[in-house]
Amino acid sequence: MKPVLYILSTPIGNPKDISLHTLEILQKSDLIIGEEYKETSKLLKRHNITKGFELLNEHSTREDILKLIKQIKRSTVSSILSDSGSACIEDPAGSITQLALAEGIELKVAPGASSLVAALSLCGFYTSPFTFIGFFSREDATRKQEILHYLNYKHTLVFFETPYRYKKVILEIASMVKKEIPIFLGLDLTTDSEYKYYGNIKHLCKILDTLPKAPPVIVLGLTQNLSRLYIPS
Amino acid sequence: MKPVLYILSTPIGNPKDISLHTLEILQKSDLIIGEEYKETSKLLKRHNITKGFELLNEHSTREDILKLIKQIKRSTVSSILSDSGSACIEDPAGSITQLALAEGIELKVAPGASSLVAALSLCGFYTSPFTFIGFFSREDATRKQEILHYLNYKHTLVFFETPYRYKKVILEIASMVKKEIPIFLGLDLTTDSEYKYYGNIKHLCKILDTLPKAPPVIVLGLTQNLSRLYIPS
């Protein structure tokens, strides 16, 4: 039998946003690969899983990854999880899946929480199609070009940003559009301090100062053809 | 206190892909809105939730939706779920969220399984950015135009299709591209009969005949700039 690597999802805020299947896979995994020590350890402890684990994150070298691949090949069931949300979406787990496939490891998934989908569910915008941008470039000129590029898309856009930079990026986008854009901003989604802004971008800019530094998900409602909305007339 | 409408996620194949939080919300909901009778009933029964529920699906009229809004406003906690995956992504639940917001109902989310994210986790392609297309048009000429439009995107594309039409659409896309395109096809993901194809579209076309009619998720790997992959060199 092929060795199997399960791609898991972890809570994005509320610790109960974890599936029965994910807990079962963690219990039966011979090898668990987490993102950061503190978060992985906290998650396993909360669910009484008393196992060691390896780490894969932005500090991992190619050698570290090749070593993990060898360990997966020696195991029957391995699992990989990110600190928050679905592994392989804007997190380091993506670096191992291609190599794993090339090495004859079967990938399986226990789907679960994703802040991207959470924000789309909440935003009220039409979600087919939508484009997920990930993070914009940290470099000012490149980011400006990227923003201009995506504003040409006539459909819903989702992006992530750091708690420290999201206000700056929202102000930049607002300065680059003439018209109002419907925007949804979610901060600390699913936690007790969850904040949700529904409105338009020029108005949001006026209150940005009052908002906390917290992990954001931002959705821009660029859909022109509102007749595609499901609402029956 | 504002009435709350929870947007829930249900398993896409494996019945254990449901979160502790989702089960808790279903237990405490005064009002549950499902998509189809059979699926909603099966899910609630499996988890010993003995409550009635309302339906919202493509047969619902505007009057039905307005009636549901009234019921949500009379309830403390309501929840809405689709037959499979995350409510509000390519399913009828999207039709109620905008009206709910306009009526002063608070939306909350208990994030969970989504076949879109499941396929992205499995595909091994770079996932930032990616565009989710939803379903292509059923109308031949329009679909062809849509395919041409999206093939211009130089990043990962994900789309859904029906079990009956996915082979036709994959053949169409293959006929419209000169170069090979890396493709991932997932059928019946997370079930015991899960099938995963990794390869290129021209090769996939040669074996399409041998594949079952099953719910597919298709990912096209159009990313040009592979240097953006996480793999450290």
Side-chain angles (χ1 to χ4, degrees), chain A residues 7 12 14 16-21 23-24 47 60-62 65 86-92 94-95 97-99 101 106-114 116-118 120-134 150 153 155 190 194 196 198 229-233, chain B residues 7 12 14 16-21 23-24 47 60-62 65 86-92 94-95 97-99 101 106-114 116-118 120-134 150 153 155 190 194 196 198 229-233:
Chain A
I7 300 164
I12 62 169
N14 186 320
K16 290 179 189 160
D17 287 331
I18 192 159
S19 76
L20 307 175
H21 191 196
L23 296 174
E24 189 184 281
H47 298 288
S60 305
T61 63
R62 187 172 181 88
I65 295 178
S86 294
C88 298
I89 309 292
E90 269 299 345
D91 80 330
S95 60
T97 54
Q98 286 200 326
L99 274 175
L101 288 167
E106 182 178 3
L107 298 183
K108 281 185 170 266
V109 65
S114 141
L116 159 64
V117 175
L120 283 169
S121 296
L122 291 171
C123 72
F125 303 143
Y126 190 72
T127 57
S128 296
F130 77 84
T131 292
F132 172 66
I133 296 165
Y150 289 112
Y153 287 27
H155 58 237
T190 76
E194 167 176 286
K196 300 182 290 274
Y198 294 91
L229 280 169
Y230 299 103
I231 302 169
S233 51
Chain B
I7 300 163
I12 61 169
N14 185 319
K16 290 177 188 161
D17 288 330
I18 192 160
S19 75
L20 308 175
H21 192 196
L23 295 174
E24 189 183 279
H47 298 288
S60 305
T61 62
R62 186 172 180 89
I65 296 178
S86 294
C88 298
I89 308 292
E90 268 301 343
D91 81 329
S95 60
T97 54
Q98 286 200 328
L99 273 176
L101 289 167
E106 183 177 2
L107 298 182
K108 280 184 171 267
V109 65
S114 141
L116 160 65
V117 175
L120 283 169
S121 296
L122 291 171
C123 71
F125 303 143
Y126 189 73
T127 57
S128 297
F130 76 83
T131 292
F132 171 66
I133 297 165
Y150 288 112
Y153 286 29
H155 59 237
T190 76
E194 168 176 286
K196 299 181 290 271
Y198 294 91
L229 280 169
Y230 299 101
I231 302 170
S233 51

Side-chain angles (χ1 to χ4, degrees), chain B residues 58-114:
Chain B
E58 70 275 24
H59 306 299
S60 305
T61 62
R62 186 172 180 89
E63 206 163 73
D64 295 334
I65 296 178
L66 293 174
K67 204 177 140 196
L68 286 173
I69 292 279
K70 274 190 194 158
Q71 286 179 269
I72 297 168
K73 288 174 85 171
R74 280 199 303 266
S75 309
T76 310
V77 177
S78 305
S79 55
I80 188 161
L81 52 158
S82 71
D83 283 349
S84 166
S86 294
C88 298
I89 308 292
E90 268 301 343
D91 81 329
S95 60
I96 206 169
T97 54
Q98 286 200 328
L99 273 176
L101 289 167
E103 289 287 324
I105 294 159
E106 183 177 2
L107 298 182
K108 280 184 171 267
V109 65
S114 141

